Amino acid sequence: MPRNHDIAELRRLDVAHHLPAQADWAEIEQMGGSRIITHAEGCYIHDGDGHRILDGMAGLWCVNVGYGREELVDAAAAQMRELPFYNTFFKTATPPTVTLAAKISSLTGNRLPHIFFNASGSEANDTVFRMVRHYWKLKGEPKRTIFISRWNAYHGSTVAGVSLGGMKAMHVQGDLPIPGVEHVRQPYAYGEGQGMTEEEFCDACVQAIEDRILEVGPENCAAFIGEPVQGAGGVIIPPKGYWPKVEAVVRKYGLLMVSDEVICGFGRTGKMWGHEAMGFTPDLMPMAKGLSSGYLPISATAVAPHVVEVLKTGGDFVHGFTYSGHPVCAAVALKNIEIIEREGLVERTGSITGPHLAKALASLNDHPLVGETRSIGLLGAVEIVADKKTRARFGGAEGTAGPMARDACIASGLMVRGIRDSLVMCPPLVISTEQIDDMVAIIRKSLDEVLPKLRAL
Protein backbone atom coordinates (compact mmCIF):
# COMPACT_ATOMS: atom_id res chain seq x y z
CA MET A 1 0.00 0.00 0.00
CA PRO A 2 1.20 3.55 -0.68
CA ARG A 3 2.59 5.63 2.10
CA ASN A 4 0.59 8.53 3.50
CA HIS A 5 2.55 11.30 1.79
CA ASP A 6 1.99 14.97 2.53
CA ILE A 7 1.31 15.93 -1.10
CA ALA A 8 1.02 19.67 -0.47
CA GLU A 9 4.41 19.70 1.24
CA LEU A 10 5.97 17.63 -1.56
CA ARG A 11 4.68 20.10 -4.14
CA ARG A 12 6.10 22.98 -2.11
CA LEU A 13 9.48 21.27 -1.92
CA ASP A 14 9.27 20.45 -5.63
CA VAL A 15 8.96 24.13 -6.52
CA ALA A 16 11.55 25.22 -3.97
CA HIS A 17 14.25 22.66 -4.72
CA HIS A 18 13.57 20.22 -7.56
CA LEU A 19 14.38 20.99 -11.20
CA PRO A 20 12.37 18.48 -13.28
CA ALA A 21 13.73 17.09 -16.54
CA GLN A 22 12.75 18.73 -19.84
CA ALA A 23 10.28 21.09 -18.19
CA ASP A 24 9.35 24.76 -18.11
CA TRP A 25 10.24 25.46 -14.48
CA ALA A 26 8.29 28.72 -14.43
CA GLU A 27 5.19 26.85 -15.58
CA ILE A 28 5.72 24.19 -12.89
CA GLU A 29 5.93 26.98 -10.31
CA GLN A 30 2.72 28.57 -11.60
CA MET A 31 1.01 25.17 -11.30
CA GLY A 32 2.06 24.98 -7.67
CA GLY A 33 4.36 22.02 -8.26
CA SER A 34 4.53 18.82 -10.26
CA ARG A 35 1.95 16.06 -10.31
CA ILE A 36 3.23 13.67 -7.61
CA ILE A 37 3.09 10.03 -8.71
CA THR A 38 2.89 7.89 -5.59
CA HIS A 39 2.45 4.25 -6.64
CA ALA A 40 1.68 2.00 -9.58
CA GLU A 41 0.57 -1.50 -10.54
CA GLY A 42 0.32 -3.28 -13.88
CA CYS A 43 -0.43 -0.64 -16.48
CA TYR A 44 -1.69 2.03 -14.06
CA ILE A 45 -0.04 4.86 -12.14
CA HIS A 46 -1.59 6.76 -9.22
CA ASP A 47 -1.03 10.36 -8.21
CA GLY A 48 -1.20 12.06 -4.85
CA ASP A 49 -4.66 13.45 -5.57
CA GLY A 50 -6.14 9.97 -5.86
CA HIS A 51 -6.29 9.71 -9.64
CA ARG A 52 -5.73 6.33 -11.30
CA ILE A 53 -4.19 6.84 -14.73
CA LEU A 54 -3.69 4.28 -17.50
CA ASP A 55 -0.04 4.67 -18.41
CA GLY A 56 -0.06 4.88 -22.18
CA MET A 57 3.63 5.87 -22.18
CA ALA A 58 5.07 2.97 -20.12
CA GLY A 59 6.73 5.52 -17.88
CA LEU A 60 8.97 7.07 -20.51
CA TRP A 61 8.93 4.41 -23.27
CA CYS A 62 10.40 1.89 -20.83
CA VAL A 63 8.20 -0.05 -18.37
CA ASN A 64 7.74 -2.99 -20.74
CA VAL A 65 6.79 -5.60 -18.12
CA GLY A 66 4.50 -3.24 -16.20
CA TYR A 67 4.64 -2.00 -12.63
CA GLY A 68 4.75 -3.99 -9.41
CA ARG A 69 6.92 -6.91 -10.48
CA GLU A 70 8.06 -8.46 -7.22
CA GLU A 71 10.58 -10.62 -9.06
CA LEU A 72 12.51 -7.52 -10.04
CA VAL A 73 12.39 -6.18 -6.49
CA ASP A 74 13.66 -9.51 -5.18
CA ALA A 75 16.45 -9.65 -7.78
CA ALA A 76 17.66 -6.20 -6.72
CA ALA A 77 17.48 -7.02 -3.01
CA ALA A 78 19.34 -10.32 -3.40
CA GLN A 79 22.13 -8.71 -5.38
CA MET A 80 22.39 -5.79 -2.95
CA ARG A 81 22.89 -8.21 -0.09
CA GLU A 82 25.59 -10.13 -1.97
CA LEU A 83 27.40 -7.31 -3.75
CA PRO A 84 25.74 -3.88 -3.94
CA PHE A 85 28.41 -2.32 -6.13
CA TYR A 86 31.72 -2.78 -7.80
CA ASN A 87 33.18 -1.14 -10.88
CA THR A 88 34.61 -2.51 -14.13
CA PHE A 89 37.64 -0.20 -14.21
CA PHE A 90 40.30 -2.25 -12.41
CA LYS A 91 40.36 -5.31 -14.68
CA THR A 92 37.38 -6.54 -12.68
CA ALA A 93 33.81 -7.60 -13.43
CA THR A 94 30.87 -9.00 -11.46
CA PRO A 95 28.78 -12.14 -12.14
CA PRO A 96 25.51 -10.44 -13.18
CA THR A 97 27.36 -8.00 -15.46
CA VAL A 98 29.17 -10.75 -17.37
CA THR A 99 26.05 -12.93 -17.50
CA LEU A 100 23.95 -10.04 -18.82
CA ALA A 101 26.52 -9.29 -21.53
CA ALA A 102 26.31 -12.89 -22.71
CA LYS A 103 22.50 -12.79 -22.61
CA ILE A 104 22.28 -9.61 -24.69
CA SER A 105 24.69 -11.12 -27.19
CA SER A 106 22.43 -14.16 -27.53
CA LEU A 107 19.43 -11.91 -28.15
CA THR A 108 21.26 -10.49 -31.19
CA GLY A 109 21.93 -13.99 -32.51
CA ASN A 110 25.54 -13.31 -31.49
CA ARG A 111 25.84 -10.88 -34.42
CA LEU A 112 26.72 -8.16 -31.89
CA PRO A 113 28.52 -10.21 -29.23
CA HIS A 114 30.43 -7.46 -27.38
CA ILE A 115 28.60 -5.34 -24.81
CA PHE A 116 29.69 -2.08 -23.14
CA PHE A 117 27.48 -1.01 -20.23
CA ASN A 118 26.31 2.49 -19.29
CA ALA A 119 23.58 3.98 -17.12
CA SER A 120 21.38 5.75 -19.71
CA GLY A 121 20.53 5.82 -23.39
CA SER A 122 22.35 9.13 -23.72
CA GLU A 123 25.52 7.53 -22.34
CA ALA A 124 25.09 4.58 -24.71
CA ASN A 125 25.09 7.00 -27.64
CA ASP A 126 28.10 8.85 -26.21
CA THR A 127 29.83 5.47 -26.19
CA VAL A 128 28.93 4.99 -29.85
CA PHE A 129 30.36 8.41 -30.64
CA ARG A 130 33.66 7.63 -28.90
CA MET A 131 33.95 4.11 -30.28
CA VAL A 132 33.25 5.03 -33.88
CA ARG A 133 35.72 7.91 -34.04
CA HIS A 134 38.40 5.85 -32.27
CA TYR A 135 37.74 2.94 -34.64
CA TRP A 136 38.44 5.02 -37.73
CA LYS A 137 41.57 6.53 -36.22
CA LEU A 138 42.91 3.05 -35.46
CA LYS A 139 41.98 1.98 -39.00
CA GLY A 140 44.29 4.68 -40.33
CA GLU A 141 41.44 6.90 -41.57
CA PRO A 142 41.37 9.69 -38.96
CA LYS A 143 39.46 12.03 -41.30
CA ARG A 144 36.38 9.82 -40.94
CA THR A 145 34.72 11.73 -38.09
CA ILE A 146 31.34 12.84 -39.47
CA PHE A 147 28.07 11.24 -38.34
CA ILE A 148 25.04 11.43 -40.60
CA SER A 149 21.76 11.69 -38.69
CA ARG A 150 18.20 12.92 -39.33
CA TRP A 151 16.34 16.06 -38.37
CA ASN A 152 13.86 15.42 -35.57
CA ALA A 153 15.82 12.38 -34.37
CA TYR A 154 16.43 11.92 -30.66
CA HIS A 155 19.64 10.34 -29.39
CA GLY A 156 19.81 11.68 -25.84
CA SER A 157 20.39 14.79 -23.77
CA THR A 158 24.16 14.88 -23.32
CA VAL A 159 26.22 17.19 -25.53
CA ALA A 160 27.03 14.34 -27.91
CA GLY A 161 23.49 12.94 -27.72
CA VAL A 162 21.83 16.26 -28.51
CA SER A 163 24.30 16.84 -31.33
CA LEU A 164 23.62 13.43 -32.85
CA GLY A 165 19.91 14.12 -32.51
CA GLY A 166 18.07 16.49 -34.77
CA MET A 167 15.90 18.42 -32.31
CA LYS A 168 16.43 22.07 -33.20
CA ALA A 169 14.90 23.33 -29.94
CA MET A 170 17.56 21.36 -28.06
CA HIS A 171 20.35 22.60 -30.34
CA VAL A 172 19.77 26.24 -29.45
CA GLN A 173 20.39 25.50 -25.76
CA GLY A 174 24.14 25.07 -25.68
CA ASP A 175 25.14 26.19 -29.19
CA LEU A 176 24.86 22.69 -30.60
CA PRO A 177 25.42 20.52 -32.53
CA ILE A 178 29.13 20.10 -32.08
CA PRO A 179 31.17 19.89 -35.30
CA GLY A 180 31.08 16.64 -37.17
CA VAL A 181 27.35 15.88 -37.23
CA GLU A 182 25.28 16.36 -40.38
CA HIS A 183 21.49 16.13 -40.48
CA VAL A 184 19.25 15.15 -43.39
CA ARG A 185 15.50 14.96 -43.89
CA GLN A 186 13.46 12.54 -41.79
CA PRO A 187 11.22 9.85 -43.33
CA TYR A 188 8.05 11.54 -42.04
CA ALA A 189 5.64 10.77 -44.85
CA TYR A 190 2.55 12.42 -43.37
CA GLY A 191 4.32 15.68 -42.60
CA GLU A 192 6.74 15.92 -45.50
CA GLY A 193 5.66 13.51 -48.22
CA GLN A 194 2.44 15.06 -49.51
CA GLY A 195 2.14 14.82 -53.30
CA MET A 196 4.48 11.83 -53.53
CA THR A 197 3.85 8.13 -53.62
CA GLU A 198 5.27 6.10 -50.72
CA GLU A 199 8.06 4.83 -52.97
CA GLU A 200 8.88 8.30 -54.30
CA PHE A 201 9.09 9.73 -50.80
CA CYS A 202 11.19 6.81 -49.61
CA ASP A 203 13.64 7.28 -52.45
CA ALA A 204 13.82 11.04 -51.84
CA CYS A 205 14.74 10.46 -48.18
CA VAL A 206 17.38 7.89 -49.07
CA GLN A 207 18.78 10.13 -51.79
CA ALA A 208 19.14 12.93 -49.24
CA ILE A 209 21.47 10.69 -47.24
CA GLU A 210 23.59 9.83 -50.24
CA ASP A 211 23.70 13.45 -51.35
CA ARG A 212 24.96 14.58 -47.96
CA ILE A 213 27.62 11.86 -47.86
CA LEU A 214 28.85 12.98 -51.26
CA GLU A 215 28.66 16.64 -50.27
CA VAL A 216 30.91 16.26 -47.21
CA GLY A 217 33.00 13.51 -48.79
CA PRO A 218 32.68 9.76 -48.10
CA GLU A 219 36.28 9.77 -46.91
CA ASN A 220 35.17 12.08 -44.05
CA CYS A 221 32.08 10.10 -43.00
CA ALA A 222 32.21 7.74 -40.03
CA ALA A 223 28.69 6.41 -39.49
CA PHE A 224 24.99 6.77 -40.08
CA ILE A 225 22.84 6.72 -36.92
CA GLY A 226 19.09 6.34 -36.70
CA GLU A 227 16.24 5.03 -34.62
CA PRO A 228 14.38 2.27 -36.49
CA VAL A 229 11.24 4.26 -35.57
CA GLN A 230 11.74 7.83 -34.36
CA GLY A 231 10.12 7.79 -30.93
CA ALA A 232 10.40 11.24 -29.35
CA GLY A 233 10.16 12.71 -32.85
CA GLY A 234 6.52 11.63 -32.95
CA VAL A 235 6.53 7.88 -33.69
CA ILE A 236 7.77 8.42 -37.22
CA ILE A 237 7.50 5.07 -38.99
CA PRO A 238 9.57 5.11 -42.21
CA PRO A 239 8.03 4.07 -45.52
CA LYS A 240 8.34 0.48 -46.70
CA GLY A 241 11.82 -0.33 -47.95
CA TYR A 242 13.47 2.72 -46.40
CA TRP A 243 15.93 0.97 -44.11
CA PRO A 244 17.28 -1.64 -46.57
CA LYS A 245 17.88 1.18 -49.06
CA VAL A 246 19.60 3.29 -46.38
CA GLU A 247 21.81 0.38 -45.47
CA ALA A 248 22.77 -0.12 -49.11
CA VAL A 249 23.93 3.51 -49.31
CA VAL A 250 25.79 3.29 -46.00
CA ARG A 251 27.61 0.13 -47.08
CA LYS A 252 28.35 1.57 -50.52
CA TYR A 253 30.45 4.33 -48.97
CA GLY A 254 31.93 2.27 -46.15
CA LEU A 255 30.23 3.97 -43.18
CA LEU A 256 29.32 2.13 -40.02
CA MET A 257 25.61 1.56 -39.35
CA VAL A 258 24.23 2.46 -35.92
CA SER A 259 20.73 1.40 -34.87
CA ASP A 260 19.56 3.36 -31.83
CA GLU A 261 17.36 0.79 -30.07
CA VAL A 262 16.86 2.77 -26.86
CA ILE A 263 13.09 2.79 -27.46
CA CYS A 264 12.62 0.12 -30.11
CA GLY A 265 14.58 -2.66 -28.38
CA PHE A 266 13.19 -5.47 -26.21
CA GLY A 267 9.98 -6.12 -28.09
CA ARG A 268 8.50 -2.69 -28.61
CA THR A 269 7.96 -3.17 -32.38
CA GLY A 270 6.82 -6.80 -32.15
CA LYS A 271 10.34 -8.06 -32.75
CA MET A 272 13.13 -8.19 -30.18
CA TRP A 273 14.93 -5.38 -32.03
CA GLY A 274 13.62 -2.58 -34.19
CA HIS A 275 16.21 -3.27 -36.89
CA GLU A 276 14.78 -6.78 -37.24
CA ALA A 277 11.34 -5.30 -37.86
CA MET A 278 12.80 -2.88 -40.42
CA GLY A 279 15.14 -5.26 -42.24
CA PHE A 280 18.69 -4.03 -41.70
CA THR A 281 21.80 -5.06 -39.76
CA PRO A 282 23.75 -2.61 -37.58
CA ASP A 283 27.42 -2.55 -36.59
CA LEU A 284 26.69 -0.87 -33.25
CA MET A 285 23.48 -0.84 -31.25
CA PRO A 286 22.81 1.38 -28.21
CA MET A 287 19.94 0.20 -25.99
CA ALA A 288 18.35 1.17 -22.65
CA LYS A 289 14.77 1.65 -21.34
CA GLY A 290 13.27 -1.83 -21.89
CA LEU A 291 16.54 -3.46 -20.81
CA SER A 292 15.39 -3.20 -17.18
CA SER A 293 11.84 -1.99 -17.86
CA GLY A 294 12.95 1.21 -16.13
CA TYR A 295 13.21 -0.45 -12.73
CA LEU A 296 16.87 0.59 -12.45
CA PRO A 297 19.01 2.81 -14.71
CA ILE A 298 21.07 0.72 -17.13
CA SER A 299 21.98 0.86 -20.79
CA ALA A 300 24.32 -0.94 -23.11
CA THR A 301 26.05 -0.62 -26.45
CA ALA A 302 26.32 -3.83 -28.47
CA VAL A 303 29.21 -3.95 -30.94
CA ALA A 304 30.05 -6.17 -33.91
CA PRO A 305 33.23 -8.30 -33.90
CA HIS A 306 34.92 -6.43 -36.76
CA VAL A 307 34.66 -3.15 -34.81
CA VAL A 308 35.95 -4.63 -31.56
CA GLU A 309 38.89 -6.34 -33.27
CA VAL A 310 40.09 -2.94 -34.45
CA LEU A 311 39.47 -1.31 -31.06
CA LYS A 312 41.57 -4.03 -29.42
CA THR A 313 44.63 -2.76 -31.30
CA GLY A 314 44.45 0.61 -29.52
CA GLY A 315 45.36 -0.32 -25.96
CA ASP A 316 43.15 1.13 -23.23
CA PHE A 317 39.75 2.37 -24.36
CA VAL A 318 39.73 5.31 -21.98
CA HIS A 319 35.97 5.65 -21.70
CA GLY A 320 33.48 4.49 -19.10
CA PHE A 321 31.36 5.45 -16.13
CA THR A 322 31.35 4.69 -12.44
CA TYR A 323 28.13 2.74 -12.88
CA SER A 324 29.07 0.90 -16.09
CA GLY A 325 27.93 -2.66 -15.50
CA HIS A 326 26.45 -1.92 -12.07
CA PRO A 327 25.79 -5.39 -10.59
CA VAL A 328 22.36 -4.60 -9.11
CA CYS A 329 21.13 -3.02 -12.34
CA ALA A 330 22.49 -5.98 -14.29
CA ALA A 331 20.75 -8.48 -12.01
CA VAL A 332 17.44 -6.68 -12.48
CA ALA A 333 17.94 -6.51 -16.26
CA LEU A 334 18.58 -10.27 -16.37
CA LYS A 335 15.37 -10.99 -14.46
CA ASN A 336 13.47 -8.52 -16.66
CA ILE A 337 14.61 -10.30 -19.82
CA GLU A 338 13.63 -13.61 -18.22
CA ILE A 339 10.10 -12.27 -17.69
CA ILE A 340 9.88 -10.95 -21.26
CA GLU A 341 10.89 -14.35 -22.64
CA ARG A 342 8.86 -16.47 -20.19
CA GLU A 343 5.65 -14.54 -20.86
CA GLY A 344 6.22 -14.31 -24.61
CA LEU A 345 5.78 -10.53 -24.56
CA VAL A 346 7.63 -9.94 -27.82
CA GLU A 347 5.53 -12.49 -29.68
CA ARG A 348 2.34 -11.25 -28.00
CA THR A 349 3.10 -7.71 -29.11
CA GLY A 350 3.72 -8.84 -32.68
CA SER A 351 0.69 -11.09 -33.05
CA ILE A 352 -1.98 -9.88 -30.61
CA THR A 353 -1.69 -6.50 -28.92
CA GLY A 354 0.21 -4.71 -31.70
CA PRO A 355 -2.37 -5.57 -34.39
CA HIS A 356 -5.16 -4.75 -31.93
CA LEU A 357 -3.67 -1.31 -31.29
CA ALA A 358 -3.45 -0.69 -35.05
CA LYS A 359 -7.09 -1.65 -35.52
CA ALA A 360 -8.24 0.38 -32.53
CA LEU A 361 -6.36 3.48 -33.65
CA ALA A 362 -7.73 3.12 -37.18
CA SER A 363 -11.22 3.45 -35.72
CA LEU A 364 -10.32 7.09 -34.97
CA ASN A 365 -9.80 7.95 -38.63
CA ASP A 366 -13.43 9.06 -38.95
CA HIS A 367 -12.91 11.78 -36.33
CA PRO A 368 -12.85 15.30 -37.84
CA LEU A 369 -9.54 16.09 -36.11
CA VAL A 370 -7.66 12.96 -37.14
CA GLY A 371 -5.48 13.20 -40.21
CA GLU A 372 -3.70 9.88 -39.75
CA THR A 373 -3.18 7.11 -37.26
CA ARG A 374 -0.08 4.92 -37.42
CA SER A 375 1.51 2.24 -35.33
CA ILE A 376 3.97 -0.62 -35.24
CA GLY A 377 3.87 -3.08 -32.39
CA LEU A 378 3.00 -1.06 -29.29
CA LEU A 379 4.16 2.29 -30.64
CA GLY A 380 1.41 4.52 -31.96
CA ALA A 381 0.51 8.07 -32.99
CA VAL A 382 -2.56 10.12 -33.89
CA GLU A 383 -2.02 13.15 -36.13
CA ILE A 384 -4.33 16.09 -35.37
CA VAL A 385 -5.14 18.47 -38.22
CA ALA A 386 -7.46 21.35 -38.96
CA ASP A 387 -8.07 20.11 -42.51
CA LYS A 388 -7.75 16.45 -43.48
CA LYS A 389 -7.27 17.20 -47.18
CA THR A 390 -4.58 19.89 -46.93
CA ARG A 391 -3.14 18.64 -43.61
CA ALA A 392 -3.21 22.23 -42.34
CA ARG A 393 -2.51 22.70 -38.65
CA PHE A 394 -4.45 24.68 -36.08
CA GLY A 395 -3.18 28.14 -35.29
CA GLY A 396 -1.25 28.24 -38.56
CA ALA A 397 1.70 26.27 -37.18
CA GLU A 398 2.53 22.94 -35.63
CA GLY A 399 2.51 22.49 -31.89
CA THR A 400 -0.87 23.72 -30.72
CA ALA A 401 -3.15 20.68 -30.83
CA GLY A 402 -0.92 17.98 -29.36
CA PRO A 403 -0.47 19.48 -25.89
CA MET A 404 -4.15 20.43 -25.66
CA ALA A 405 -5.30 16.92 -26.52
CA ARG A 406 -2.68 15.41 -24.19
CA ASP A 407 -3.93 17.45 -21.24
CA ALA A 408 -7.49 16.36 -21.96
CA CYS A 409 -6.39 12.71 -22.05
CA ILE A 410 -4.58 12.99 -18.72
CA ALA A 411 -7.59 14.67 -17.13
CA SER A 412 -9.68 11.70 -18.29
CA GLY A 413 -7.28 9.10 -16.89
CA LEU A 414 -4.82 8.36 -19.70
CA MET A 415 -1.15 9.32 -19.80
CA VAL A 416 -0.02 9.98 -23.37
CA ARG A 417 2.45 12.43 -24.85
CA GLY A 418 1.73 15.43 -27.05
CA ILE A 419 4.42 15.92 -29.69
CA ARG A 420 3.78 18.83 -32.03
CA ASP A 421 0.25 18.16 -33.32
CA SER A 422 0.13 14.49 -32.50
CA LEU A 423 -0.66 12.22 -29.60
CA VAL A 424 1.86 9.41 -29.18
CA MET A 425 1.61 6.28 -27.07
CA CYS A 426 3.86 3.47 -25.95
CA PRO A 427 2.01 1.34 -23.38
CA PRO A 428 3.55 -1.50 -21.36
CA LEU A 429 3.92 -4.74 -23.31
CA VAL A 430 1.65 -6.40 -20.72
CA ILE A 431 -1.33 -4.22 -21.69
CA SER A 432 -4.53 -6.12 -22.48
CA THR A 433 -6.68 -5.66 -25.56
CA GLU A 434 -9.42 -4.32 -23.27
CA GLN A 435 -7.04 -1.71 -21.88
CA ILE A 436 -6.06 -0.74 -25.42
CA ASP A 437 -9.75 -0.19 -26.16
CA ASP A 438 -10.03 1.95 -23.03
CA MET A 439 -7.01 3.98 -24.15
CA VAL A 440 -8.46 4.68 -27.59
CA ALA A 441 -11.89 5.50 -26.14
CA ILE A 442 -10.30 8.14 -23.90
CA ILE A 443 -8.42 9.57 -26.89
CA ARG A 444 -11.69 9.89 -28.83
CA LYS A 445 -13.42 11.53 -25.87
CA SER A 446 -10.52 13.96 -25.45
CA LEU A 447 -10.51 14.87 -29.13
CA ASP A 448 -14.23 15.63 -28.87
CA GLU A 449 -13.50 17.91 -25.91
CA VAL A 450 -10.75 19.92 -27.59
CA LEU A 451 -12.45 20.18 -31.01
CA PRO A 452 -14.43 23.40 -30.25
CA LYS A 453 -11.42 24.94 -28.49
CA LEU A 454 -9.16 24.29 -31.48
CA ARG A 455 -11.72 25.61 -33.95
CA ALA A 456 -11.98 28.78 -31.88
CA LEU A 457 -8.27 29.56 -32.35
Side-chain angles (χ1 to χ4, degrees), residues 375-389:
S375 68
I376 179 171
L378 286 174
L379 279 171
V382 177
E383 289 275 357
I384 303 171
V385 293
D387 186 299
K388 288 174 178 273
K389 185 175 182 180

Side-chain angles (χ1 to χ4, degrees), residues 131-198:
M131 280 186 174
V132 166
R133 286 191 164 182
H134 191 44
Y135 166 86
W136 285 114
K137 182 175 285 189
L138 292 172
K139 285 270 287 185
E141 300 184 63
K143 291 171 60 180
R144 280 189 177 262
T145 61
I146 295 174
F147 281 76
I148 309 294
S149 182
R150 282 97 54 93
W151 291 117
N152 202 35
Y154 184 81
H155 297 296
S157 286
T158 58
V159 169
V162 171
S163 297
L164 289 171
M167 301 282 186
K168 293 180 181 179
M170 299 182 77
H171 288 172
V172 300
Q173 294 181 356
D175 297 321
L176 301 172
I178 58 177
V181 183
E182 297 284 332
H183 296 91
V184 299
R185 71 184 303 176
Q186 61 178 327
Y188 177 25
Y190 188 80
E192 301 179 14
Q194 196 165 13
M196 291 187 245
T197 66
E198 182 180 32

Side-chain angles (χ1 to χ4, degrees), residues 165-410:
M167 301 282 186
K168 293 180 181 179
M170 299 182 77
H171 288 172
V172 300
Q173 294 181 356
D175 297 321
L176 301 172
I178 58 177
V181 183
E182 297 284 332
H183 296 91
V184 299
R185 71 184 303 176
Q186 61 178 327
Y188 177 25
Y190 188 80
E192 301 179 14
Q194 196 165 13
M196 291 187 245
T197 66
E198 182 180 32
E199 184 176 6
E200 288 171 342
F201 180 67
C202 175
D203 289 344
C205 291
V206 175
Q207 189 61 53
I209 296 170
E210 184 165 22
D211 289 347
R212 187 59 57 87
I213 291 172
L214 293 172
E215 179 184 334
V216 299
E219 71 280 5
N220 299 315
C221 293
F224 179 85
I225 184 170
E227 306 153 87
V229 176
Q230 287 162 248
V235 184
I236 306 302
I237 303 169
K240 184 178 179 180
Y242 170 83
W243 273 111
K245 290 180 179 181
V246 169
E247 183 173 17
V249 169
V250 169
R251 303 301 180 196
K252 177 180 177 181
Y253 296 106
L255 285 69
L256 294 174
M257 173 74 84
V258 182
S259 179
D260 184 338
E261 300 272 358
V262 169
I263 288 175
C264 292
F266 300 97
R268 179 55 56 186
T269 64
K271 298 287 186 182
M272 181 57 72
W273 307 111
H275 69 264
E276 292 177 322
M278 293 296 161
F280 70 103
T281 304
D283 301 299
L284 298 97
M285 185 172 72
M287 66 192 78
K289 296 190 183 290
L291 175 55
S292 70
S293 285
Y295 276 63
L296 283 176
I298 185 171
S299 67
T301 303
V303 192
H306 63 273
V307 176
V308 172
E309 288 307 308
V310 172
L311 293 174
K312 285 179 180 178
T313 68
D316 285 356
F317 182 54
V318 287
H319 173 75
F321 306 94
T322 300
Y323 302 122
S324 290
H326 192 292
V328 180
C329 299
V332 169
L334 278 165
K335 182 59 68 172
N336 174 69
I337 293 170
E338 179 187 315
I339 293 170
I340 289 172
E341 292 187 318
R342 185 180 71 228
E343 298 185 1
L345 295 181
V346 178
E347 296 77 11
R348 182 173 178 269
T349 299
S351 63
I352 299 174
T353 50
H356 191 86
L357 176 62
K359 183 178 179 180
L361 286 177
S363 72
L364 296 173
N365 285 325
D366 65 349
H367 195 280
L369 288 180
V370 176
E372 177 186 73
T373 61
R374 55 182 179 267
S375 68
I376 179 171
L378 286 174
L379 279 171
V382 177
E383 289 275 357
I384 303 171
V385 293
D387 186 299
K388 288 174 178 273
K389 185 175 182 180
T390 65
R391 305 182 188 178
R393 308 291 178 167
F394 285 97
E398 283 190 321
T400 301
M404 287 180 63
R406 172 206 63 204
D407 290 347
C409 285
I410 296 172

